[in-house]
Amino acid sequence: MNVVLSTLNAKFIHMSLALRYLKAFCERDFHIDIVEYTIKDPAMNIVSDLYQKKPDVLGFSCYIWNIEETIQVVKMIKKIMPELKIVLGGPEVSYDTDYWMGRLPEVDFIVMGEGEETLHHLLQELSGARKFHFVYGLAYRKGSEVIINPGRPKLKLDDIPSPHRFPEDIPQLPNRVVYFETSRGCPFSCQFCLSSIEVGVRYFDMERTKADLLYLIDSGAKLIKFVDRTFNIKRDYAMEIFEFLIANHRGCVFQFEITADIMRPEVLDYLAENAPPGIFRFEIGVQSTNDLTNELVKRRQNFAKLTRTVTKVKESGKIDQHLDLIAGLPEEDYTSFRKTFNDVFALGPEELQLGFLKMLRGTGMRHDAEKYGYVYMDNAPYEILGNDILPFTDLIRIKRVEDVLEKYWNAHRMDRTVSYLIKREFPSAFDFFQEFGDYWEERGWQKIGHQLEDLFTRLHAFLTDRGTERMDIVEALMKFDYFLNHKYRPRKIWWDFTLDKSGQAELLRLLAEHPEKVSAEFARLRLAEKDLHKHVMIETMPFDLRLYLETGELQTDTSQLLIVYFPPDAQDKPSWFTMELRQASLI
């Protein structure tokens, strides 16, 4: 029996952990092939590839991000291979299973919930007596009738073989995101999340976990993302893994989903003192700072303690933080969400993800949708279109905030400029992103692409049109950010040089002759005049740039030259220097 397991990943760099668990559990008795695609791949290409593999059983792992694309593939391949047995599994089809069996007559079986043991039992029945009614956790067809069997008891996790030991995966590891779990389940009851349905938390054996991590690191993995719902719920377990990874990371990066308000101070102190910069990333789901909203969705959260954790981590300078918000939760109208956004943005996360409530099958929020007047998409991803207090008009405005937030903050193209604007030119962070997002929409820019310089010229147009004060300061910071976005000396700029060509050439000649006038560090570069022409850019700053970046003080009684050096080796970051214009004129 030829068994093929497949999924459509959101991106090429992703590797399906679910498929590898299934293969590891079943391969002792069955030959299993794993084939992965992406949601961007044409359905015809996927079907053609699967057809050539001649499967007898074809399984798909289904999620909200791939279910509709998977359905296209299923319908097409069943037409050309009518005898093929098609099995679906995954969180998207584990709930409302009767709906899926009714909507998709091409599907023969659905594996509900934890799938390793259920799929193995199903394959045994397919190759034997075909007594499907014995297979707990399975939905199947009996003539025109759909049978949904009772659920299956949870497995002891250590009975599942490691999903990380397939030799064919090793060449992919350096260029892919490796998903890893140390536990299953979640102790919380957030009504918008599927994890709230599973009661209790089960852990894999610590020594097995360490062995798998070491195997992946030694095999070349560069990014391991832990998918535990709350990695730090068990302090001693989390602490032991942190210590192990610090001792064995070898340059690999590890990302965790943590609950910040339960993070113990001693753990934070340990990480601040011992974690090498850049090897850990924390993803923290804040979702809302509205107390009533959190109460309604059964989300226990102490924002003061969360703030303490995020602040302490940020001050350590060791760990990047990704904070999540959800727009559209109960009793969170536009004004309340504006406050939530500003509360969380004020914490200064390296990334702030603004998502929109999705009515996932099986969740309490979907069950209570009518209670709050929710309107939402019929098909995945089931995103809301409004509710009693947050109409569609407000939602689409918040969508514009999300768009500009991604382009200008999360992409880190203009950190210094955006920070200045929020602190000095706009009432709040939310107001900046909202006003700019509305302007972006009015100009129709969402319909066309953009390059890096487009982002700068569009921000400049917006700020100019609204009459922003001290545009000379803003433009200077924008130029500085633009320079630092490049590994090599940029060929294109979006402004006219302050100094003309002859003035720049003369200044570069003088800098080559007297580099010590800039700084000892600049002199140590030992740059000849031809190197300066090739690797240096110069602009004027109407304020003391270094003082502003170090203290936030804006001293405008002196002008400076900004000198940016772009090393020939793109692995090295640009370095920058300043000197007063008066001093430059005395060289």
Side-chain angles (χ1 to χ4, degrees):
M1 187 167 61
N2 184 18
V3 182
V4 174
L5 299 181
S6 185
T7 195
L8 281 62
N9 293 319
K11 296 180 180 179
F12 172 77
I13 59 171
H14 298 167
M15 296 176 70
S16 172
L17 180 60
L19 297 187
R20 286 163 175 80
Y21 270 122
L22 296 169
K23 177 179 171 71
F25 195 89
C26 296
E27 69 172 355
R28 64 178 182 264
D29 297 312
F30 302 96
H31 176 73
I32 307 284
D33 281 330
I34 289 178
V35 191
E36 295 175 270
Y37 306 97
T38 76
I39 55 176
K40 298 293 186 183
D41 292 330
M44 179 61 79
N45 292 4
I46 297 173
V47 170
S48 176
D49 190 57
L50 289 171
Y51 176 78
Q52 293 178 60
K53 298 183 183 302
K54 296 290 185 285
D56 301 301
V57 178
L58 176 59
F60 289 96
S61 188
C62 302
Y63 304 83
I64 59 169
W65 65 79
N66 71 10
I67 184 63
E68 296 302 323
E69 292 84 356
T70 301
I71 288 171
Q72 291 183 47
V73 173
V74 166
K75 287 181 175 292
M76 289 172 64
I77 201 164
K78 193 71 167 187
K79 286 183 177 181
I80 58 176
M81 301 181 72
E83 300 305 315
L84 174 65
K85 298 300 181 186
I86 294 181
V87 187
L88 301 187
E92 177 57 14
V93 295
S94 289
Y95 305 95
D96 297 343
T97 304
D98 53 346
Y99 161 80
W100 291 113
M101 293 294 279
R103 180 182 171 186
L104 302 173
E106 300 84 0
V107 171
D108 300 284
F109 305 97
I110 290 181
V111 170
M112 302 173 291
E114 205 165 69
E116 291 91 349
E117 197 169 21
T118 302
L119 179 63
H120 182 263
H121 193 173
L122 171 60
L123 295 178
Q124 287 179 317
E125 294 300 332
L126 282 170
S127 58
R130 304 174 77 86
K131 295 181 178 180
F132 303 124
H133 57 284
F134 286 146
V135 184
Y136 290 137
L138 182 73
Y140 67 100
R141 301 184 189 279
K142 186 177 181 181
S144 60
E145 185 182 5
V146 171
I147 309 295
I148 299 181
N149 291 340
R152 180 177 294 275
K154 300 295 183 185
L155 271 169
K156 182 181 178 184
L157 294 186
D158 291 320
D159 289 342
I160 308 173
S162 170
H164 301 293
R165 302 297 180 122
F166 299 117
E168 60 269 27
D169 283 342
I170 291 178
Q172 306 179 65
L173 294 180
N175 303 309
R176 307 290 280 273
V177 179
V178 180
Y179 292 95
F180 194 98
E181 63 179 357
T182 67
S183 64
R184 290 184 183 177
C186 182
F188 300 111
S189 305
C190 306
Q191 295 299 287
F192 50 80
C193 181
L194 280 174
S195 300
S196 64
I197 298 170
E198 183 176 345
V199 178
V201 182
R202 295 167 293 154
Y203 286 86
F204 286 93
D205 173 73
M206 177 61 79
E207 295 311 310
R208 165 191 164 143
T209 293
K210 289 180 178 178
D212 277 351
L213 285 168
L214 202 56
Y215 174 85
L216 290 169
I217 293 167
D218 288 341
S219 298
K222 299 301 181 186
L223 175 58
I224 296 177
K225 185 173 181 179
F226 289 75
V227 296
D228 305 75
R229 280 72 161 186
T230 305
F231 179 78
N232 61 314
I233 192 66
K234 192 174 179 181
R235 177 198 169 279
D236 292 344
Y237 194 95
M239 189 68 174
E240 189 169 345
I241 291 178
F242 284 145
E243 292 172 344
F244 177 79
L245 295 178
I246 288 171
N248 296 283
H249 66 89
R250 297 176 180 75
C252 188
V253 175
F254 310 95
Q255 184 167 325
F256 308 89
E257 293 184 31
I258 70 161
T259 299
D261 58 346
I262 64 170
M263 194 70 132
R264 300 287 292 273
E266 59 268 27
V267 176
L268 297 173
D269 291 339
Y270 172 81
L271 293 175
E273 184 175 346
N274 296 283
I279 71 160
F280 291 152
R281 299 176 186 168
F282 286 168
E283 182 174 343
I284 301 169
V286 184
Q287 320 311 7
S288 174
T289 62
N290 183 313
D291 291 336
L292 176 58
T293 294
N294 285 327
E295 182 181 341
L296 291 172
V297 297
K298 299 182 181 180
R299 180 172 183 77
R300 289 176 290 167
Q301 181 170 261
N302 185 320
F303 189 66
K305 289 184 177 180
L306 182 149
T307 298
R308 179 202 64 193
T309 294
V310 172
T311 302
K312 197 172 181 67
V313 171
K314 187 173 181 64
E315 288 173 347
S316 77
K318 301 287 190 71
I319 300 169
D320 281 355
Q321 297 178 98
H322 168 127
L323 272 55
D324 293 338
L325 300 178
I326 297 178
L329 292 171
E331 298 305 319
E332 179 111 273
D333 62 7
Y334 181 88
T335 301
S336 172
F337 185 76
R338 176 183 180 273
K339 180 181 182 301
T340 282
F341 184 99
N342 287 328
D343 287 343
V344 177
F345 193 88
L347 300 179
E350 283 71 28
E351 185 172 351
L352 178 58
Q353 181 173 320
L354 198 173
F356 293 81
L357 180 62
K358 297 172 178 60
M359 293 297 191
L360 303 180
R361 294 181 182 276
T363 62
M365 280 309 309
R366 188 174 177 117
H367 181 267
D368 289 340
E370 189 175 339
K371 177 179 177 181
Y372 300 104
Y374 279 107
V375 181
Y376 57 94
M377 300 174 181
D378 291 333
N379 295 330
Y382 315 113
E383 191 170 295
I384 65 164
L385 304 172
N387 64 22
D388 285 343
I389 64 170
L390 191 72
F392 184 67
T393 51
D394 286 345
L395 269 177
I396 58 176
R397 289 200 70 203
I398 297 174
K399 286 276 187 183
R400 297 171 199 161
V401 172
E402 177 202 22
D403 184 47
V404 175
L405 178 73
E406 287 296 320
K407 289 181 172 72
Y408 285 87
W409 183 259
N410 290 340
H412 295 291
R413 294 182 173 108
M414 299 189 207
D415 287 356
R416 299 154 197 86
T417 304
V418 172
S419 294
Y420 172 87
L421 290 169
I422 288 170
K423 289 176 183 175
R424 296 175 181 262
E425 297 291 343
F426 288 82
S428 73
F430 185 87
D431 293 292
F432 164 71
F433 291 113
Q434 184 69 84
E435 283 188 41
F436 191 16
D438 292 344
Y439 185 88
W440 190 285
E441 176 79 15
E442 291 167 5
R443 296 302 181 278
W445 290 337
Q446 75 280 4
K447 300 174 184 176
I448 56 178
H450 54 264
Q451 296 180 337
L452 178 63
E453 57 267 22
D454 295 325
L455 296 175
F456 283 82
T457 56
R458 290 173 187 177
L459 176 61
H460 190 272
F462 162 63
L463 295 172
T464 302
D465 285 356
R466 71 181 290 274
T468 305
E469 296 181 359
R470 294 311 308 260
M471 279 300 293
D472 56 337
I473 303 291
V474 176
E475 288 170 357
L477 287 170
M478 290 177 70
K479 293 171 187 178
F480 183 60
D481 279 330
Y482 189 75
F483 286 145
L484 297 191
N485 266 276
H486 290 80
K487 294 181 179 179
Y488 297 105
R489 187 180 187 274
R491 295 182 179 180
K492 297 171 68 176
I493 60 170
W494 48 270
W495 70 93
D496 294 327
F497 276 120
T498 307
L499 302 171
D500 60 26
K501 286 187 178 180
S502 61
Q504 288 222 23
E506 176 64 13
L507 190 52
L508 290 174
R509 183 184 66 78
L510 293 172
L511 290 178
E513 294 175 357
H514 303 284
E516 74 284 353
K517 298 290 186 180
V518 178
S519 71
E521 183 183 357
F522 183 77
R524 282 195 291 272
L525 294 175
R526 299 181 180 278
L527 298 173
E529 186 175 347
K530 65 177 182 179
D531 296 321
L532 291 172
H533 279 280
K534 196 173 181 179
H535 299 294
V536 166
M537 295 197 81
I538 299 175
E539 257 300 341
T540 59
M541 298 280 115
F543 62 98
D544 189 324
L545 177 64
R546 195 174 298 276
L547 178 68
Y548 171 73
L549 295 178
E550 290 177 355
T551 69
E553 180 183 346
L554 198 58
Q555 184 174 310
T556 58
D557 58 356
T558 181
S559 294
Q560 291 187 329
L561 278 181
L562 170 66
I563 304 162
V564 184
Y565 170 62
F566 300 88
D569 186 351
Q571 300 299 318
D572 298 327
K573 293 181 179 180
S575 51
W576 59 275
F577 310 86
T578 58
M579 64 185 303
E580 290 190 12
L581 270 177
R582 288 173 299 179
Q583 184 182 358
S585 66
L586 296 174
I587 295 180

